[in-house]
Amino acid sequence: MKKNNLAKFMIFALIVSIFSCDADDQAEVLNDRDTAGALVVVNATTNSSILGNPEPGVDLADAEVSITNAYLNMTVKLTSGSLADIANVQIVKSYNGGQESVAAESTTLPLSLVIDNIDDLLAGTGVTESDLRIGGVLALRTKITQTDGNVYYYNNSMGNYNLIVNCSSDLAGNYSNPNMPFVCGVGTDPVVVTQESPGRYLVSSMPTYSFGAGNCISWYMIDTCGTLTYDGGDLEDNNYSGAGGTGIVNADGSFTFTNFLIDAGSGLNYSIETTYTPVP
């Protein structure tokens, strides 16, 4: 199986860096307390989401969305370092990379932000509910101004949270699937699907394939209005590359997904389509 150690190193490097507002300035390393000062983490509640129903009979890319849920509850916390050289901390928002607006600010951490309606979520971004489309992204970014006037944004892995416009999704639960490895869900042991955030799920095992006895391969999928896409998991966490897949949610509440893995050892390619049926 192919491994991508370079990619893992680059991801690690991103996790410990922030980017200056000046495009000509290179990333500052947060461990350098003289230039960055603080490491932060963003947490959001699982019900933080923008959900709605797309206009029927229109391609998703063009369909207006009637919002049914708009809620955000997030907190920026200091994990290490000091705010001694930081004059101001802001949570800024923008939709699809557009106009930026300040959603909250403070001179101390933690900094919490709770918004419970779509108008306030979009305020200052230059867009309204009628502009929203499925897959659009309202990005919440942590921005700091240092006492010397320098301004920085934390990177996506550390200081940011995205609200993705999506349809309502309810796939969490237990499923049967006859193609699970014996140690991962055959017989009385169900396949467990857990909601990690609105529309994003963790599936407890890949079908037919495992790391060995007792070592199931869990993976993530995203449900976008009934269309499912692979979103990483244990394979990537263990340096494997070439995994992916797509699927659909069926009318009876089951879902069908095709997992694949390029070069699954000895030059073989792994690919299987299988259906997950809800366990009553």
Side-chain angles (χ1 to χ4, degrees):
M1 226 178 248
K2 294 180 180 179
K3 296 189 177 182
N4 194 341
N5 291 324
L6 177 59
K8 185 175 182 182
F9 173 79
M10 292 176 68
I11 292 171
F12 174 77
L14 283 173
I15 290 176
V16 294
S17 64
I18 54 177
F19 295 91
S20 167
C21 283
D22 185 350
D24 295 327
D25 196 4
Q26 298 301 310
E28 299 284 0
V29 179
L30 282 170
N31 285 331
D32 182 351
R33 307 301 181 194
D34 292 334
T35 57
L39 292 171
V40 302
V41 64
V42 168
N43 299 119
T45 58
T46 57
N47 60 336
S48 295
S49 63
I50 299 177
L51 303 176
N53 299 315
E55 183 182 2
V58 180
D59 289 342
L60 282 182
D62 301 318
E64 291 191 15
V65 183
S66 177
I67 298 301
T68 58
N69 183 78
Y71 184 76
L72 173 66
N73 185 339
M74 64 175 285
T75 302
V76 181
K77 297 180 180 180
L78 180 70
T79 59
S80 65
S82 168
L83 298 180
D85 296 324
I86 295 177
N88 180 262
V89 181
Q90 295 178 325
I91 299 173
V92 297
K93 57 185 177 179
S94 61
Y95 182 74
N96 285 350
Q99 179 178 318
E100 180 181 289
S101 174
V102 177
E105 60 184 322
S106 176
T107 57
T108 62
L109 290 176
L111 171 59
S112 295
L113 174 63
V114 178
I115 301 177
D116 63 1
N117 65 86
I118 192 62
D119 290 339
D120 287 345
L121 276 174
L122 298 177
T125 63
V127 301
T128 62
E129 180 177 344
S130 63
D131 298 313
L132 301 181
R133 297 294 182 270
I134 295 297
V137 179
L138 181 68
L140 289 303
R141 307 175 67 193
T142 304
K143 178 180 178 181
I144 63 170
T145 301
Q146 295 181 306
T147 54
D148 61 8
N150 287 329
V151 177
Y152 296 93
Y153 294 86
Y154 285 89
N155 71 30
N156 289 334
S157 301
M158 182 181 299
N160 300 337
Y161 185 76
N162 290 336
L163 288 174
I164 300 174
V165 183
N166 203 351
C167 298
S168 298
S169 177
D170 185 20
L171 295 178
N174 296 335
Y175 293 79
S176 63
N177 188 320
N179 295 298
M180 289 299 108
F182 180 75
V183 296
C184 301
V186 167
T188 58
D189 297 327
V191 180
V192 180
V193 176
T194 306
Q195 180 175 268
E196 298 293 306
S197 60
R200 187 173 190 259
Y201 298 91
L202 177 67
V203 184
S204 61
S205 176
M206 292 179 67
T208 74
Y209 194 64
S210 70
F211 285 137
N215 294 303
C216 309
I217 302 175
S218 63
W219 52 282
Y220 294 95
M221 66 179 183
I222 293 176
D223 176 13
T224 304
C225 300
T227 298
L228 306 174
T229 53
Y230 181 85
D231 195 41
D234 284 345
L235 290 172
E236 288 75 11
D237 290 345
N238 286 275
N239 285 342
Y240 296 109
S241 62
T246 58
I248 59 171
V249 179
N250 302 312
D252 62 1
S254 66
F255 66 92
T256 301
F257 200 93
T258 299
N259 291 89
F260 68 80
L261 178 60
I262 299 171
D263 192 10
S266 302
L268 301 176
N269 291 334
Y270 160 89
S271 179
I272 183 171
E273 179 183 281
T274 188
T275 295
Y276 297 75
T277 303
V279 176

